[in-house]
Amino acid sequence: MPRAATVFACSACGHESPKWHGRCPGCGEWNTLAEERRAAAPSRRRARGALRPVALGEVEAPRVDRLRTGIGELDRVLGGGLVPGSLVLIGGSPGIGKSTLTTGALGNLAAGGRRVLYVSGEESAAQVKLRAERLGPAALSVPIIAETELETVLATIDAERPDVCVVDSVQVLYDPALSGSPGSVAQVREVAGRLMRLGKERGVAVILVGHVTKEGAIAGPRVLEHLVDCVLSFEGERERTYRTLRALKNRFGSTNEVGVFEMHERGLVEVADASARFVTEATRAPGSVVLCAMEGSRPLLVEVQALVAPSELVPPRRVANGVDRNRLALVLAVLARHGGVSLGGSDVFVSVAGGVRVDEPGADLAIALALASAAKGVGLGDEKPLAAFGELGLTGELRHVAHADRRIAEAEKFGLHGVLRPDDRTRTLREALRSLGRSGRARAA
Ligand SMILES: Nc1ncnc2c1ncn2[C@@H]1O[C@H](COP(=O)(O)OP(=O)(O)OP(=O)(O)O)[C@@H](O)[C@H]1O
Ligand SMILES: [Mg+2]
């Protein structure tokens, strides 16, 4: 006999437990379990009978054109535009520009003759209008409802049948039939699930805006990430102007693409040629090296900066901005063991200028060179900054990374010749450090 049950659900991972725990048995987070009531399970329905499977080749799949949002960087990250009927989740920390980006996209779609709808649960229609005034006339033509009740939102989408609908945000919508406050696991899951079903049935592409926790995960259960077709993460620091948009999951495209934006008075402006920005900003001071990184299919030059200072702390500080902490630890260990640069008694700071994140092993060599240069107080490069890329192996060897030719071509485009990289002459970190000294590239500070 089915009965209504009380379960305790984790707000971080969605794990459910019949009793309360201080620490989630699923993900190990503390104080994340909250009580939720489950409706009685419906009694089992009669099956509709067996289906006849169809060979994939015979499945009818009409070619559908992607919906271009007119924001090039967003379209690229989506894999060439929005797929009709798909469900996309955009996560980002408060104030990063999620509403600005989605309003701008809807404005462009509306200007291109598409039907759009903006569901604002967080801000009143008047507040959204103020933002749209900044963004220009296209954004002002976007129809909006300010509503948080799920049924009303679903009914409106059903009546309006937009091509694209933005729900800002998934955490504030709620279904009064369920217990639990808006944003709880059960509510978020229900809201996303119902929107997905309606979207797929009616061919409405739905963009859900989601908040992220201070740890950087998209708030609400991870089940949301399984449910949606595409998870985009909008990153950057609020104080800095650069923002990056990357796909963490994409059923319709690569997850390697990254879009770079800048927040302006008139909204988010795409930075189509990010390399140019970062190279002109690069200094040739000690501790600065230009990294030829790959962001998806696109090469990107970014400046890696390092600072090494005497420390009074045990253990000394290791601060990494824009690079992985573990990667930094590895580079420091290899530098000490195989490069003759031991920084055990120093505070070490490494940051990628412009607030960009690089998550690839190809950054190792540039980080190592920036650290060595900072430690010695010697600037690298001649009249142009030094560019480098390559992975460091644990035995101090330099390892090849993908797309070497495209990285070099990008550097040369900006006049950075003689990119230091793994090749026949430079096979180890020691050789890389030595070749800098020998070629006379290193300038005394
Ligand atoms: N006039 C302006 N000129 C430049 N930047 C502005 C201006 N007005 C607002 N901004 C920027 O826009 C950001 C807010 O953008 P937006 O509201 O789209 O963010 P959000 O991610 O939706 O935030 P929330 O999580 O609060 O919904 C602010 O952090 C600010 O940097
Ligand atoms: Mg917002």
Side-chain angles (χ1 to χ4, degrees), residues 99 122-123 131 168:
S99 306
E122 304 207 329
E123 296 168 293
R131 174 178 307 107
D168 190 358

Side-chain angles (χ1 to χ4, degrees), residues 35-36 171 173-174 178-188:
E35 184 175 346
E36 279 177 9
Q171 273 100 5
L173 253 56
Y174 75 100
L178 288 180
S179 74
S181 49
S184 68
V185 177
Q187 289 283 5
V188 169

